[in-house]
Each structure stands twice: as structure tokens, then as C-alpha cells.
Amino acid sequence: MLILCLVSTIFAVISYNYDPKSPSIRWGVIVLSCAAMAGLSRASIETILPALDKYHMDFALIEFFLYFVRIITGFLSIYVFPYALLMWAITYSDKFNEKAVRICKCIFPIPIIFMLKTTVYYPDIIPDFHSMLYWAVPYIIAACLIHLYAWHTEKDADKKKQRITTISISFPVMLSALILNYIVRAINNYNQYWRYMIIFLILSFFIFLWKALKQEAGSLNGIKLRYEREAHKKTRQAINKGTALLSHAIKNQIYKINSSLMIINVNDLNTSSRGAIDIIARSSKHLTDIIERMHSKTQEIKIVKSKNDLNKLIDDSLLALKLDLHSKNIRVEKSYESKEHYVYCDPTETYEVFTNLLNNSIEAIETIRDKGEIKVSVYHKNSQNIIVSFADNGVGIPQEHLKHVTDPFFSTKENKDKNHGMGLNQCHEVMYKTGGDLKIESAINKGTTIKLTFPINLKKGDVHEESKSYPSSTY
């Protein structure tokens, strides 16, 4: 049983470290804590007490403390587990608004209060498994059905992959607990079939590790994405530092070249030499321009949030590109769920993201067709997030390139002089630091759809101000 406690604790720590503020993560941690307490409860009488007796450490105070631990952990692990499991499914599903979640959180623990009276506590805790058939079993079944419904109705491809991964990891534990720990023990509490649950927990743990290490796999509650983002962040920081050092070193050498050119008297040179000097001067200026552009693209992004209407930011971005869209015969179709969609974001950086993505769509469309179309949609994903979607019917991105398009310096564009592969990386970084994300779906010759998720409310640690101006078009 110590193994059950250890594995569950590792699961809980990994989950909590991912995002302590996420309601679904917190409920998942409570579920795992119940499993850890179940292991500790059994270990206290099956492992710890016999070990103390073996070494003649049978002190009354220690035995009383272990009995107390046994009762508390046993009670919580058995009765809180179904409730926490159901609340985890509800919060993770994104199908319930905040009011519904609060009501569920207050109503569903009511049966646990009645269990205080029907449970036997001495000489050992004996839970009322028969009564749990009428509430705990339905709770677990409801949790499974909510997970399945959320997966079935999920429209986002990446989220759907995450949900099926969560199901594959959690269902072995949920179903084994339902059958072995609640239904079977309600029929006959003297059997030991519940001990086989450890097999399913370890199986789930190895599935989690496999999914975490496998490329293009989903994730448990999105946990894998955290570590991918951390790796992405470190790469970005290394590039920023390296680019700054490289820029400084090259600029020093360019300064020496320009200084040397200034003291040369071109009148003393023949035509061929003057031509060579002119080439050196123009190349020096071109190199300086490249370094400046690269340096500006690799600066650390600092997000200062304020309350902004996403509809207005999109409209201003479209207005800035009005001439390009008109000259290339590209039609824009806008679909706003509401007249206003307010979120907390950095208006300047968000405006740049929208403009960058629209420019990408324009370039993708003009390479394959005369008449293009860009669909811009804004809608609520749930009570906490708003989605902005840009969909074009352009050239599309090959599947083998999709996982690399947000990497620094990766570009599929032919004009490498003007495109350094930092555009989508910049957008990805802005969305990450805003607290949202950027997802890309694409197919060759069919087009590309990019979905941006914006959190509606401020989060702890956000830098914000009342208002902030941003570049607005005057066309």
C-alpha cells in the first residue's frame, strides 16, 4: 500500500506544479490525494504498526496517533474520492458555467455528512459501502459520462486529443475504483479484490509517462504542454542572449569597416577601386539593417495588460491592411458572436499578432489563387476564455512543417531575406505570455486556420494598467 501512496503522491505533485490556480487541476490533485490517503491508511496498520512491533516500539501514544491517522485518511479517501472525481470532471469539461460549478460544489458533498453517522470507527473504520451504492456509484458513473461527452463534443482538434489522453489515463483508475472498491465491497466487504486497484493505478502512471514522452501525443489535463512551453521558453531566452552577443560583435566590426572607409580618399583611387569601396559601403549598410531587424525580432516580449475589445483590435488590423486586401482581391468575412468581446491583453502586442497573421494569410492566398477569402471569427469558448480564429483558403502548410512553424527562425517562405522565421514565433510568445495559446490547423491547397485563446480575466501576477494606446490605422 505504500506503493499506492507513493505513486498517487507523485501524480499529485506533477499535476499541482503544472497550474496550481486551475480549478480542474486542483480537483484532480484532491482525487489523487484521496488515493494517496487510501494507501497511507492501509499502510499504517499493515506496514508501520507491524514494523514498530518488530523493533519493540509499541508505545501507546504512537499507536493512538496511527489509529487516528488510519481513521481520518480512511474516511477521507473513501468518501471524498467520488465527490472530488465528479467535480474534476465538471470543471475539466468546460461545459458548466461558474454558477453551476458553485452549486455542484455545495450540493454534492451533502451525502458525506450523513456518512459521519453511519460509519463504524472502532476498533477499526468500516465505511458504509451499502449506502454508497446510492450516491458514490452514480457520482463516478456521472464523472465518466461527463468526460466522454466533453470529448465527443470537443471541436478543437488539439483539445480533443488532450481529452482522449486524459480518458485513457484516468478511466482505468476510475472504473477499477467503481467496481472493486465500491460495488464489490458493497456486496461483500470481506473480500480483498480492492487491492488489485494498485495494478490499474500503476498502469495509468506508465500510460502518462508514455504520453508525456511521445511526440504528437495528447496530455493529461494539458500537463504535457507546460513542459513543452518551458522548453520553448528556454530556447527563446538562449536565442535572445546569443543574438544580442552576435549583434554587438558584428556591429563593432562594421563600425571599424565604416571608420576605415571614411579615411580613404576615393579621389586617389582608380575606377575599379572606387567601385569596390562602394560595394563594401553598401554591403556594410545592408548587414547593419539585417542585424537591426533580427535584434528587434528577438527582444524579450513584455506584456502589460489592459481591458480591450478584441473586435476593435481586429477591425483596426483589417483597416491597416485594407489596401493590400483590396489590391489582391481578397474578401474578408467577419463573424463576431457579440458586439464586444472584452479581455485583458496587451493591445499593442495583440494588434501586432493580428496584423502578422493577416499578412501571412494574404501571402498564402496570393501564391495560388486570384480570389481569396479570410474568415475572422470571435466567440466564447467558455466562461473563462474567448477564441479568435483566422481561417484562409491559401496554400496551406505541409503536415511535417506544422510542429515547427512556431520555432524561432523556421520559415517556409521563399523570400528568406525579408522573412527570418520569427513572425509565428513572436505570435506564439505573445499568446503564451498573455496566458492563452495559439493553435494551427492546415492542409495543402485548402488553407490554414489559426485559433488564438484569450483569457477573459486577469490572473495573479499579471502586469496591468487602466488603459494603453496602440497603433491604429487612419486609412
Side-chain angles (χ1 to χ4, degrees), residues 69 81 84 130 158 178 211 213 239-240 249 272 291 306 319 327 349 401 409:
V69 170
F81 179 82
H130 182 73
D158 290 314
L178 171 67
K211 291 288 186 180
L213 296 174
I239 288 172
N240 291 351
S272 178
I291 291 297
S306 58
L319 197 57
S327 65
E349 296 293 349
H401 291 163
F409 301 116

Side-chain angles (χ1 to χ4, degrees), residues 320-338:
L321 298 170
K322 182 178 179 180
L323 293 179
D324 271 351
L325 292 165
H326 179 72
S327 65
K328 291 164 184 175
N329 199 22
I330 298 174
R331 185 174 70 90
V332 176
E333 179 183 323
K334 295 190 294 185
S335 174
Y336 297 162
E337 186 181 63
S338 305

Side-chain angles (χ1 to χ4, degrees), residues 365-383:
I365 289 170
E366 67 178 331
T367 58
I368 63 170
R369 50 175 57 91
D370 295 329
K371 293 184 178 181
E373 183 179 72
I374 300 175
K375 295 181 179 179
V376 184
S377 306
V378 187
Y379 55 92
H380 282 79
K381 177 185 178 183
N382 49 46
S383 60

Side-chain angles (χ1 to χ4, degrees), residues 169-182:
I169 293 172
S170 62
F171 268 43
V173 178
M174 293 166 65
L175 295 176
S176 64
L178 171 67
I179 297 170
L180 301 178
N181 205 41
Y182 292 97

Side-chain angles (χ1 to χ4, degrees), residues 228-437:
E228 291 176 344
R229 282 177 169 179
E230 288 301 319
H232 196 282
K233 179 181 177 181
K234 290 180 180 178
T235 301
R236 176 90 185 193
Q237 289 173 342
I239 288 172
N240 291 351
K241 185 176 180 180
T243 303
L245 292 172
L246 181 63
S247 174
H248 179 71
I250 293 177
K251 279 184 175 181
N252 284 341
Q253 299 306 313
I254 293 174
Y255 176 76
K256 292 178 183 178
I257 293 171
N258 290 337
S259 298
S260 300
L261 289 174
M262 290 177 67
I263 64 176
I264 296 176
N265 188 350
V266 293
N267 294 325
D268 296 337
L269 301 176
N270 57 34
T271 304
S272 178
S273 297
R274 284 198 297 269
I277 292 296
D278 185 54
I279 291 172
I280 293 172
R282 283 189 282 109
S283 297
S284 175
K285 184 180 183 304
H286 181 62
L287 187 57
T288 301
D289 290 341
I290 291 176
I291 291 297
E292 289 295 340
R293 287 202 303 270
M294 188 176 294
H295 184 64
S296 66
K297 291 294 185 182
T298 55
Q299 290 297 294
E300 182 180 358
I301 298 168
K302 295 182 180 179
I303 299 296
V304 180
K305 291 186 175 183
S306 58
K307 194 172 184 179
N308 297 276
D309 180 14
L310 289 175
N311 295 5
K312 185 178 186 305
L313 289 174
I314 294 171
D315 288 342
D316 287 338
S317 300
L318 289 169
L319 197 57
L321 298 170
K322 182 178 179 180
L323 293 179
D324 271 351
L325 292 165
H326 179 72
S327 65
K328 291 164 184 175
N329 199 22
I330 298 174
R331 185 174 70 90
V332 176
E333 179 183 323
K334 295 190 294 185
S335 174
Y336 297 162
E337 186 181 63
S338 305
K339 291 183 178 179
E340 296 174 330
H341 288 94
Y342 281 100
V343 300
Y344 279 92
C345 65
D346 187 313
T348 303
E349 296 293 349
T350 304
Y351 173 84
E352 289 297 324
V353 168
F354 292 163
T355 304
N356 196 312
L357 296 180
L358 287 168
N359 269 321
N360 285 351
S361 291
I362 291 171
E363 291 180 21
I365 289 170
E366 67 178 331
T367 58
I368 63 170
R369 50 175 57 91
D370 295 329
K371 293 184 178 181
E373 183 179 72
I374 300 175
K375 295 181 179 179
V376 184
S377 306
V378 187
Y379 55 92
H380 282 79
K381 177 185 178 183
N382 49 46
S383 60
Q384 300 296 319
N385 299 283
I386 289 177
I387 299 290
V388 175
S389 171
F390 294 91
D392 64 59
N393 61 343
V395 65
I397 303 170
Q399 289 299 310
E400 63 269 21
H401 291 163
L402 268 180
K403 59 184 177 182
H404 298 296
V405 291
T406 59
D407 292 347
F409 301 116
F410 182 86
S411 177
T412 59
K413 298 177 182 179
E414 294 180 359
N415 192 345
K416 301 293 183 179
D417 285 339
K418 294 184 178 180
N419 298 293
H420 303 290
M422 295 301 292
L424 279 176
N425 174 263
Q426 198 89 349
C427 296
H428 182 274
E429 193 74 5
V430 169
M431 293 308 301
Y432 170 56
K433 290 194 172 184
T434 300
D437 59 33

